Amino acid sequence: MTLIFAHRGSKGTHPENTLAAFKEAVRVKADGIELDIQFSKDEDLMVIHDGDVKRTTNGEGLVKDLTLKELKALDAGSWFDKAYSEEKIPLFKEVLALLEEEKYTGILNIEIKTDEYDYMGIESKILETLKEFDLSCDILFSSFNTETMERVMALDTTTPKAVIMDKSERKINFGKDQIAIGGIHPSIEWIKENKEIAREFPKAVRPWTANTKEDMALCFELGLAAFHTDFPERAMMEKDAF
Ligand code: G3P
Ligand code: MG
């Protein structure tokens, strides 16, 4: 059964990577929830996709140059819709508290966003933070950065891991060859160009991002392990209908 991963919470219907988006993913019972983590100036774990706050907040500057107080002062919802003006950039631990409270039983896919800035020590801080919570969900680590994945592999031998790529053959081979890596997260475009390879791939294949009915149907037909989507409610309905 192909699982549905709610990309950045529910990016198509709510401001991405906010508590509102993660609550929506829980509400629609998405099989998985994906989020992106970066370091603030003081190495707080912040849930945000871009290295720069400009696109998804009313502020300016790089996440890594702003303090927690400065980041928390920003409005992370109005850019999407005025109704979400109270949304802030969440701390990783705030999302974990939500999932703990909701007793979420799916998979939390933690993307370590070190492809733009290589935040030294972010991997161990994420692992330490997870220990503070009594979660009902499973964890899956992923990153575009293979060095990050090597560091996670060295620190943790039990949690499932995947490598993300657009179409990079080097990363696809890294995912295939590394025993400790259980899957690959390629772009949906790579899937369309490599249907039979994806169907036969020896490990879990979970592309991003399937948003149209056709792309979702392709993932179901190929029997992929999962796909990421900006529209998890719609995708869960498509899965039920397939
Ligand atoms: O983890 C899948 C997907 O989130 C990777 O791309 O840029 O949306 O983080 P991006
Ligand atoms: Mg991501």
Side-chain angles (χ1 to χ4, degrees), residues 7-8 34 36 49 111 113 144 164 208 228:
H7 188 228
R8 307 184 203 171
E34 189 259 5
D36 306 291
H49 178 272
E111 181 184 343
K113 216 62 183 136
F144 279 95
I164 315 172
W208 50 274
H228 295 78

Side-chain angles (χ1 to χ4, degrees), residues 16-216:
E16 65 182 61
N17 281 325
T18 61
L19 291 182
F22 298 121
K23 282 177 192 163
E24 173 65 4
V26 171
R27 186 190 71 79
V28 305
K29 299 186 168 53
D31 302 307
I33 298 176
E34 189 259 5
L35 54 72
D36 306 291
I37 302 191
Q38 318 217 18
F39 259 161
S40 72
K41 186 175 181 180
D42 301 314
E43 303 192 341
D44 301 290
L45 297 169
M46 309 303 301
V47 179
I48 184 166
H49 178 272
D50 296 4
D52 192 307
V53 300
K54 197 173 178 64
R55 182 179 62 86
T56 58
T57 76
N58 61 343
E60 283 186 8
L62 300 181
V63 179
K64 70 181 183 67
D65 293 337
L66 296 167
T67 64
L68 178 61
K69 197 174 172 194
E70 287 167 333
L71 289 165
K72 278 294 185 185
L74 303 178
D75 168 353
S78 289
W79 70 276
F80 186 86
D81 189 306
K82 290 260 179 295
Y84 297 104
S85 63
E86 297 300 312
E87 294 300 320
K88 305 291 181 196
I89 302 169
L91 280 157
F92 178 47
K93 64 182 180 186
E94 290 173 321
V95 180
L96 295 180
L98 170 72
L99 299 181
E100 184 182 66
E101 191 184 319
E102 296 281 351
K103 298 187 170 48
Y104 178 66
T105 55
I107 300 165
L108 176 62
N109 180 183
I110 300 167
E111 181 184 343
I112 308 172
K113 216 62 183 136
T114 45
D115 37 306
E116 219 177 338
Y117 303 104
D118 199 358
Y119 302 112
M120 293 312 289
I122 195 169
E123 301 87 0
S124 54
K125 191 139 188 189
I126 290 170
L127 286 162
E128 285 306 309
T129 304
L130 282 165
K131 284 184 197 156
E132 295 170 25
F133 292 84
D134 183 20
L135 296 168
S136 310
C137 60
D138 293 324
I139 302 294
L140 169 63
F141 290 116
S142 64
S143 182
F144 279 95
N145 186 335
T146 52
E147 288 176 18
T148 283
M149 292 318 301
E150 281 168 349
R151 288 195 284 266
V152 178
M153 281 150 56
L155 290 164
D156 171 286
T157 54
T158 54
T159 309
K161 299 166 190 77
V163 61
I164 315 172
M165 69 289 296
D166 180 359
K167 300 179 182 180
S168 161
E169 286 299 319
R170 179 185 74 80
K171 291 183 190 178
I172 285 163
N173 288 331
F174 176 87
K176 199 196 288 184
D177 297 342
Q178 290 284 336
I179 292 166
I181 298 284
I184 59 168
H185 295 183
S187 65
I188 189 70
E189 285 73 29
W190 183 85
I191 299 289
K192 289 181 197 173
E193 292 165 15
N194 296 277
K195 291 190 184 105
E196 292 315 309
I197 294 172
R199 193 198 299 275
E200 303 294 335
F201 201 77
K203 296 185 178 181
V205 179
R206 307 182 191 92
W208 50 274
T209 15
N211 288 334
T212 64
K213 201 171 174 160
E214 293 71 29
D215 286 355
M216 292 179 192

